[in-house]
DNA sequence: GGCATAGTTGAATCCATATTCAACTACAAA
DNA sequence: TTTGTAGTTGAATATGGATTCAACTATGCC
């Protein structure tokens, strides 16, 4: 966590900047995006950013009070792009759950594939700075609620409360979160060798989410990269009366 | 990330410590466990630990070269306890997948419930220090491989490679990881109000994992807390020929 | 050109923490 | 009781950044 000291002479307000100033401010932001992606938030220093921007160290504080403020501004912009749920859901039929799930996962895969460092930085900042954590949570929540808000009506017999639905939504969100972190952020070499395209990755993850949610495979027509997964399923769809009967599923 | 400076006069080797020394070393470890749980790794300072232990600041370096070393020693011990997979799998029948999944999740839930801070600290340290990241990955991998190693044989028709199975295992691991983080580490207030016991939480998560893996509900006999989830499933088990047909699942 | 203002520089300073160490204390063996 | 050694203390010092600021430069306007 970049140390933040107390003194603070506030930077020049953006509105009072001339065009040269605005340009420099942008240069710093671009540099920061780059450093953030390379080193992550908790390793970033002011010197990293000014060096990357090709600018004297002291200039930083003319434009930003500290690294955290800059980072929040930056990541906020990324989130705004990503979180355009209207765009994500465009063209998805109301009952087309396979399509909906998949089209929520696709941009997330792309984001991890394209700027893994930024995703990591987001998590670091959220871990260290509660207000941003809240912001990030809201961001996810908005996404998750598109799913969880439907659940009670989708499965009336289960009598799910809104909160129970939320728990399920968080859990399902973890499916792609974990896989994408392992593949793109930690760059697990085995997973890299799979050479999945982002599309295929999205197919596989959407498949798992769909199955966890519906206890069934998605409609077979449009599975694309994930069709092979249809064969991943219990051998005996109707096991006997007690748990032991599932022993049949074993190999050998 | 606690700063680690260069100089370093190495601490007294454990073997040369008298009984008083060993006791103090333990006291520091206990204190560190406590601070770690309270503040996490990246906020912890040497002063925190010595203060908690009720000991002069300088004494720390007689026993440990730096915070990271101490933390690794500590978390390694926690992992050793947790990773006793022999114990976890004891008494589980070979084909009893519901039992196996559930009994892997239970200790993880307990760990989150009991010492959420330590789990968080593990992630922070792994994020900041690659060697520990490798160690942690190995730890999970051991667990995951109990699952992924079986998959190719479990679903021969899917022709899963070992790596593809691993991807699935990571993804499934994310289910409980995300839910437990949200509930116990971030202390999401809505989820807390659910008042799930660790047992119930484990039941729900195991249920979702089982479904994602087998595209079916687990055998009905032993679901305990999660029985209600059986009703969470697609209304039309055999949708028509193309994707659109799943529209039936919609409310209204 | 002369002037005013915005923008830039980097050496000086500040700060929170880590790390050392010389002096001190507690204990145990002789 | 003496004395040697392990253990402890906390003030002094070292570090790696962040932050400031007085001097400097570029730009645009008259």
């Amino acid at each position: 966590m970049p140390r933040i000291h107390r003194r603070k002479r506030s930077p020049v307000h953006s509105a009072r900047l001339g065009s040269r100033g605005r340009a420099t401010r942008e240069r710093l932001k671009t540099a920061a995006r780059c450093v953030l992606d390379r080193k992550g938030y908790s390793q970033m220093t002011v010197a990293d950013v000014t060096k990357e921007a090709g600018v004297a160290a002291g200039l930083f504080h003319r434009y930003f009070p500290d690294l955290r403020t800059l980072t929040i501004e930056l990541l906020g912009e990324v989130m705004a792009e990503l979180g355009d749920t209207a765009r994500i859901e465009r063209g998805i039929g109301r009952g087309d759950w396979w399509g909906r799930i998949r089209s929520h996962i696709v941009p997330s895969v792309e984001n991890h594939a394209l700027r893994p460092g930024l995703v990591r930085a987001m998590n670091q900042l959220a871990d260290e700075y509660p207000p941003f954590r809240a912001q990030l949570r809201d961001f996810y929540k908005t996404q998750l609620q598109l799913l969880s808000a439907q659940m009670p009506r989708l499965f009336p017999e289960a009598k799910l409360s809104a909160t129970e639905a939320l728990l399920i939504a968080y859990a399902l969100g973890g499916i792609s979160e974990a896989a994408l972190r392992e593949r793109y952020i930690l760059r697990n070499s085995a997973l890299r060798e799979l050479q999945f395209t982002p599309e295929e990755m999205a197919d596989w993850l959407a498949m798992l989410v769909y199955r966890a949610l519906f206890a069934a495979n998605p409609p077979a027509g449009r599975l694309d990269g994930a069709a092979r997964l249809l064969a991943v399923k219990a051998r005996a769809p109707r096991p006997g009366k007690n748990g032991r009967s599932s022993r049949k599923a074993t190999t050998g």
Side-chain angles (χ1 to χ4, degrees), chain A:
Chain A
M1 30 88 222
R3 296 247 182 302
I4 293 180
H5 292 176
R6 305 257 181 66
R7 272 179 288 170
K8 272 328 146 37
R9 204 115 321 276
S10 43
V12 182
H13 190 288
S14 302
R16 299 177 185 226
L17 289 175
S19 72
R20 187 151 72 118
R22 275 196 300 277
T24 302
R25 195 172 192 280
E26 277 316 305
R27 229 140 53 86
L28 284 169
K29 279 173 74 171
T30 302
R33 231 188 312 266
C34 176
V35 173
L36 218 43
D37 199 30
R38 189 169 61 242
K39 308 187 55 173
Y41 172 70
S42 45
Q43 317 278 149
M44 177 169 55
T45 69
V46 171
D48 285 330
V49 176
T50 52
K51 208 170 297 169
E52 176 76 32
V55 125
L59 194 53
F60 181 89
H61 294 90
R62 182 181 170 82
Y63 297 105
F64 304 96
D66 52 53
L67 282 175
R68 181 199 284 161
T69 307
L70 164 54
T71 305
I72 289 174
E73 180 171 331
L74 226 48
L75 295 183
E77 288 169 8
V78 173
M79 280 157 61
E81 278 178 51
L82 249 66
D84 184 354
T85 55
R87 182 173 53 73
I88 291 173
E89 298 233 338
R90 183 168 304 152
I92 306 290
R94 269 184 68 69
D96 179 10
W97 284 96
W98 168 251
R100 167 167 296 125
I101 288 170
R102 194 174 172 292
S103 68
H104 271 278
I105 289 179
V106 166
S108 175
V109 177
E110 280 167 357
N111 192 39
H112 278 78
L114 238 51
R115 345 181 235 203
L118 284 190
V119 180
R120 178 173 168 234
M122 252 182 228
N123 292 328
Q124 291 175 333
L125 183 55
D127 188 52
E128 273 156 28
Y129 187 60
F132 183 76
R133 180 182 331 170
Q135 191 181 334
L136 189 58
R137 174 179 303 180
D138 271 0
F139 171 69
Y140 285 132
K141 200 164 179 174
T142 305
Q143 315 251 83
L144 290 174
Q145 275 182 343
L146 286 170
L147 183 58
S148 65
Q150 309 288 338
M151 270 191 237
R153 281 183 292 155
L154 196 53
F155 312 118
E157 296 154 44
K159 298 200 193 342
L160 290 179
S161 72
T163 309
E164 288 167 341
L166 191 62
L167 172 63
I168 294 178
Y170 276 123
L172 298 184
I175 289 178
S176 44
E177 188 188 320
L180 294 175
R181 168 164 35 87
E182 199 60 34
R183 166 63 184 80
Y184 295 107
I185 299 182
L186 303 183
R187 304 174 61 70
N188 181 309
S189 57
L191 297 189
R192 251 188 304 159
E193 280 161 19
L194 273 185
Q195 309 231 356
F196 273 17
T197 64
E199 288 289 301
E200 284 169 314
M201 184 63 99
D203 287 333
W204 278 54
L205 299 177
M207 182 82 161
L208 293 174
V209 171
Y210 188 101
R211 289 157 60 126
L213 182 58
F214 291 105
N217 272 317
R222 298 181 306 164
L223 296 184
D224 309 318
R228 193 147 43 94
L229 284 177
L230 289 174
V232 174
K233 63 182 177 188
R235 292 255 185 92
R238 299 248 176 138
K241 285 168 194 167
N242 65 55
R244 282 297 157 122
S245 71
S246 68
R247 194 190 295 148
K248 280 180 198 168
T250 310
T251 317

